[in-house]
Amino acid sequence: MIGVFDSGFGGLTVLDSLVEALPQYDYLFLADSARAPYGARSLDVIYEFTLESVEWLFNEGCPLVILACNTASTRALRNIQQLHLPARRPDRRVLGVVRPSAEALAGLPPDAVPGVTPPSLATGVVAVLGTESTIASDSYALELRKLAPRLELVQQACPLWAPLVEAGELAGPGTEWFLRRSLEPVLAPRRLPQRILLGCTHYPLLLPGIRRLVPESVEILTQGEIVASRLVSWLARHPDQEARLGRGGRRRFATTDDPAWFAGRGGRLLGRPLSAERVRLRPVH
Ligand code: DGL
């Protein structure tokens, strides 16, 4: 199975695009709903929680895990890739959402190859919206500096957006107030971005409200399709990894909290019923 991890059910927006682009594979989605949101947690805690989730997915039979969560990708991916995998799981792979999303912000094509495709010469302003932790990590700025050194990046933390989504508050005057509050600093007329990336898997659920507040000339990027198109290209470049993936078209959903709650929220998001199981994660020593 391809393991797909998010702190909450927002990562289903990424899973949905993966399944659409690559329907032949088996998928196991894990949401750490009991401990979501991760966005305001410390680096050490996000690493610990993410590692427990990744290890659970490995133990269930996933050779490849996608961290669909930006917060986990910015805070835990590098240590997992550089320290944990070589020492404990040399045969497994973990990929994140930041690099592919930064490539899209830079205007690079989906088949861009890290270290081979030359940097983009694009100029102007782009923006990324994310959780406090994602923005504090500066990961998007670091990636963009390599991928498109002439692009100016505006970064904006939207601390309450993911909790609003988890609470099912997708519209209404209260939600609009919080959308406005985080969008206003990004939409200064003299530095209006050409593109805004929704750098949190929960934010696409707020898209109708965001779209109403953002001028039409500004492109809004969501991560599902970006991550899916780049995974297609990654699998083509890594046939040894691709060969390890099951092709039964199976989908399995797991959560660390109430499976009925997850199935209700997740089913509404995907527009079809789903059933989920509750799992317990173990500390990784
Ligand atoms: N889904 C997570 C992300 O993409 C954020 C939600 C959270 O704060 O846990 O960053």
Side-chain angles (χ1 to χ4, degrees):
M1 291 172 284
I2 298 179
V4 180
F5 168 69
D6 189 28
S7 57
F9 69 93
L12 290 171
T13 56
V14 173
L15 177 79
D16 209 21
S17 300
L18 293 177
V19 168
E20 198 179 318
L22 297 160
Q24 66 274 36
Y25 299 120
D26 300 327
Y27 292 88
L28 171 53
F29 182 87
L30 172 63
D32 189 7
S33 311
R35 303 187 291 193
Y38 279 14
R41 293 189 185 277
S42 68
L43 197 142
D44 285 354
V45 167
I46 295 168
Y47 177 69
E48 206 176 287
F49 288 179
T50 304
L51 188 59
E52 289 171 16
S53 301
V54 166
E55 272 297 325
W56 184 83
L57 288 162
F58 285 162
N59 287 330
E60 290 299 304
C62 300
L64 169 66
V65 171
I66 313 288
L67 298 184
C69 179
N70 287 264
T71 309
S73 296
T74 55
R75 293 313 212 177
L77 179 65
R78 185 192 294 242
N79 276 353
I80 291 177
Q81 284 178 334
Q82 295 183 359
L83 303 176
H84 185 73
L85 297 185
R88 308 272 292 272
R89 297 285 200 170
D91 60 332
R92 309 292 170 110
R93 293 292 176 274
V94 180
L95 304 174
V97 289
V98 172
R99 171 81 194 200
S101 305
E103 286 174 1
L105 262 182
L108 292 169
D111 56 358
V113 179
V116 176
T117 306
S120 153
L121 297 177
T123 55
V125 181
V126 293
V128 62
L129 309 177
T131 64
E132 283 168 288
S133 189
T134 294
I135 299 304
S137 76
D138 216 26
S139 300
Y140 277 98
L142 295 171
E143 287 296 340
L144 267 186
R145 231 167 274 152
K146 291 180 264 168
L147 297 171
R150 296 200 211 161
L151 269 183
E152 188 186 335
L153 177 68
V154 173
Q155 302 194 74
Q156 177 66 38
C158 311
L160 278 156
W161 289 16
L164 281 169
V165 171
E166 287 285 324
E169 297 287 343
L170 304 183
T175 298
E176 194 184 317
W177 190 86
F178 283 107
L179 293 183
R180 239 179 235 290
R181 185 174 146 146
S182 296
L183 280 170
E184 262 163 17
V186 178
L187 299 176
R190 275 185 294 124
R191 266 173 103 213
L192 190 68
Q194 310 148 31
R195 290 188 197 113
I196 297 180
L197 172 76
L198 303 189
C200 171
T201 51
H202 286 60
Y203 299 173
L205 291 150
L206 299 169
L207 188 55
I210 298 171
R211 190 66 273 182
R212 271 196 296 279
L213 297 171
V214 172
E216 259 176 50
S217 63
V218 180
E219 189 186 3
I220 299 178
L221 303 181
T222 55
Q223 293 179 305
E225 282 166 29
I226 295 171
V227 174
S229 61
R230 270 137 174 111
L231 182 61
V232 170
S233 152
W234 188 88
L235 289 172
R237 284 183 280 118
H238 297 84
D240 50 327
Q241 295 298 327
E242 197 277 341
R244 305 174 71 195
L245 301 176
R247 293 167 161 267
R250 278 177 296 240
R251 322 298 175 220
R252 198 180 139 199
F253 300 90
T255 172
T256 53
D257 209 321
D258 179 14
W261 182 89
F262 177 85
R265 285 279 153 79
R268 270 202 294 284
L269 186 157
L270 293 179
R272 56 181 181 274
L274 63 87
S275 64
E277 63 198 277
R278 173 157 183 229
V279 298
R280 281 171 212 280
L281 305 179
R282 297 215 166 77
V284 178
H285 299 291

